C-alpha cells in the first residue's frame, strides 16, 4: 500500500511540559489505524497536531509528501484530513439532514454573498449538497432519523451523525476521536461495521483514538501506542496484545482493557 500520511518527529511543548515527544509513524492508503494509550498519554493532542488544530513545536506532518502541519485547520480539512470530535459538533436545532447539508460548506463554489443573494452557483451548490446528504444518509442507514432534530438523538445516532458530518467534507483521511464512547455493545459493533464500510466502500482512510480496546482490536489494521507523549509500540493487534511495554503501560499486568 502507498503511504498517504507521514508523521515525522512530531513534538508539542506547552511551556515546560512536553505533551507529545518525537512521535513518528506512517498511515497507508486504506488503513484503519488506531492510536491508543492510557489516559493523559497525549493521544488527542497528537490528533490536534495532525489536523492542525494545534501547531507543532518540532517535526512535520506530510500528506502525499506535502507538509500540512501548522496550516489553518480549514485548509487542512480542504486538503482531505478531517477530524471529528469527542463531543459531536452539531446544530441541535437542525435536523440530521440539515446538519449534513450545512457540513458541505468546505466544498462550496459559490461565495457567501452568492448564497445570500441566491445566485445560480449557490442554487447549484445547494442542490448538489442536498443530493450528497441523501447519499450519506442512505449509506449510513439513517433514513429513519433524517428529519429528526439533532437534539433528540441518542448517543449512537449522535456518533453516526458526527461521522456523516465528516463524510460531507469528502475526506481522504477521517480522524475519529473516541467514536465508540458512551455506547453499549450493540451500538459499538454497529459503529465498527460503519467504520469498516467507510474504508471498504468509500475508500476513506481512517485514524481513530479510542479507549474501547476490544473494539480497537477488532477494527484495526495497525495500532500505534502512546505513553507519556512518546510512541512505545506499533504493529498489528496481535503484536500489540503481546508487547511487554504495552502490557506494562496498561497497569503492568495481563489486562482485559487491552483485549487479553
Amino acid at each position: 500500500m502507498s503511504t498517504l500520511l507521514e508523521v515525522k518527529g512530531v513534538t508539542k511543548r506547552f511551556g515546560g511540559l512536553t505533551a507529545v515527544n518525537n512521535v513518528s509513524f506512517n498511515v497507508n492508503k486504506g488503513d484503519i489505524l488506531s492510536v491508543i494509550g492510557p489516559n493523559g498519554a497525549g493521544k488527542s493532542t497528537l490528533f490536534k497536531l495532525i489536523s492542525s488544530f494545534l501547531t507543532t513545536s518540532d517535526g512535520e506532518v506530510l500528506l502525499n509528501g506535502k507538509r500540512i502541519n501548522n496550516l489553518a485547520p480549514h485548509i487542512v480539512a480542504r486538503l482531505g484530513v478531517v477530524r471529528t470530535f469527542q463531543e459531536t459538533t452539531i446544530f441541535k436545532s437542525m435536523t440530521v439532514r440539515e446538519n449534513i447539508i450545512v457540513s458541505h460548506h468546505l466544498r462550496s463554489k459559490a461565495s457567501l454573498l452568492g448564497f445570500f443573494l441566491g445566485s445560480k452557483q449557490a442554487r447549484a451548490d445547494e442542490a448538489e449538497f442536498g443530493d450528497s446528504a441523501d447519499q450519506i444518509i442512505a449509506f449510513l442507514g439513517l433514513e429513519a432519523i433524517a428529519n429528526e432534530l439533532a437534539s433528540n438523538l441518542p448517543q449512537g445516532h449522535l456518533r453516526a451523525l458526527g461521522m456523516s458530518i465528516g463524510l460531507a467534507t469528502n475526506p481522504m483521511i477521517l480522524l475519529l476521536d473516541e467514536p465508540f464512547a458512551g455506547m453499549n455493545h450493540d451500538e459499538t459493533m454497529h459503529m465498527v461495521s460503519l467504520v469498516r464500510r467507510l474504508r471498504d466502500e468509500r475508500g476513506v482512510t481512517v485514524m481513530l483514538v479510542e479507549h474501547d480496546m476490544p473494539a480497537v482490536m477488532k477494527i484495526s489494521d495497525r495500532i500505534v501506542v502512546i505513553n507519556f507523549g512518546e510512541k512505545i509500540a506499533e504493529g498489528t493487534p496481535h503484536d500489540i496484545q503481546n508487547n511487554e511495554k504495552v502490557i506494562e503501560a496498561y497497569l503492568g499486568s495481563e489486562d482485559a482493557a487491552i483485549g487479553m
Side-chain angles (χ1 to χ4, degrees), residues 16-186:
L17 172 67
T18 301
V20 175
N21 186 24
N22 194 32
V23 171
S24 298
F25 59 90
N26 293 341
V27 182
N28 296 323
K29 185 175 181 180
D31 264 354
I32 297 177
L33 183 143
S34 296
V35 179
I36 68 170
N39 288 330
K43 306 179 298 296
S44 290
T45 299
L46 178 62
F47 257 36
K48 290 175 184 177
L49 295 169
I50 292 171
S51 55
S52 209
F53 279 84
L54 286 175
T55 59
T56 56
S57 301
D58 286 305
E60 57 185 359
V61 180
L62 306 177
L63 178 67
N64 285 324
K66 296 182 179 179
R67 182 170 177 156
I68 62 170
N69 56 301
N70 302 343
L71 298 176
H74 72 278
I75 298 296
V76 173
R78 278 198 176 123
L79 292 172
V81 179
V82 177
R83 177 185 171 223
T84 68
F85 296 84
Q86 293 180 23
E87 296 297 329
T88 303
T89 303
I90 60 172
F91 295 100
K92 293 184 178 180
S93 61
M94 289 185 176
T95 67
V96 167
R97 186 175 186 272
E98 288 168 344
N99 266 280
I100 299 171
I101 290 173
V102 168
S103 303
H104 285 78
H105 71 280
L106 283 174
R107 296 162 55 181
S108 297
K109 297 174 184 176
S111 66
L112 183 60
L113 180 61
F115 278 103
F116 181 75
L117 297 176
S119 69
K120 182 178 179 180
Q121 183 60 65
R123 293 195 301 273
D125 282 350
E126 288 174 348
E128 178 187 344
F129 297 163
D131 289 343
S132 176
D134 290 337
Q135 291 170 18
I136 292 170
I137 287 167
F139 175 74
L140 294 177
L142 301 178
E143 295 95 335
I145 62 166
N147 296 312
E148 185 72 49
L149 290 178
S151 58
N152 296 335
L153 298 180
Q155 188 67 25
H157 284 149
L158 278 175
R159 295 295 177 178
L161 176 56
M163 190 180 296
S164 301
I165 288 170
L167 274 179
T169 67
N170 197 26
M172 282 193 286
I173 302 178
L174 190 59
L175 280 62
L176 303 176
D177 199 347
E178 299 195 22
F180 312 129
M183 293 186 181
N184 61 36
H185 178 267
D186 289 344

Side-chain angles (χ1 to χ4, degrees), residues 166-238:
L167 274 179
T169 67
N170 197 26
M172 282 193 286
I173 302 178
L174 190 59
L175 280 62
L176 303 176
D177 199 347
E178 299 195 22
F180 312 129
M183 293 186 181
N184 61 36
H185 178 267
D186 289 344
E187 289 173 332
T188 297
M189 290 302 100
H190 178 65
M191 186 62 71
V192 165
S193 176
L194 290 182
V195 173
R196 279 185 174 152
R197 289 183 60 209
L198 286 183
R199 189 268 308 274
D200 295 342
E201 298 180 25
R202 295 183 72 101
V204 178
T205 300
V206 177
M207 291 183 63
L208 58 97
V209 163
E210 182 53 59
H211 288 288
D212 187 329
M213 289 302 101
V216 165
M217 294 299 167
K218 187 176 183 66
I219 199 173
S220 305
D221 297 311
R222 292 190 301 120
I223 299 171
V224 171
V225 187
I226 305 293
N227 195 27
F228 295 111
E230 298 185 352
K231 186 179 85 170
I232 62 170
E234 179 179 356
T236 66
H238 180 268

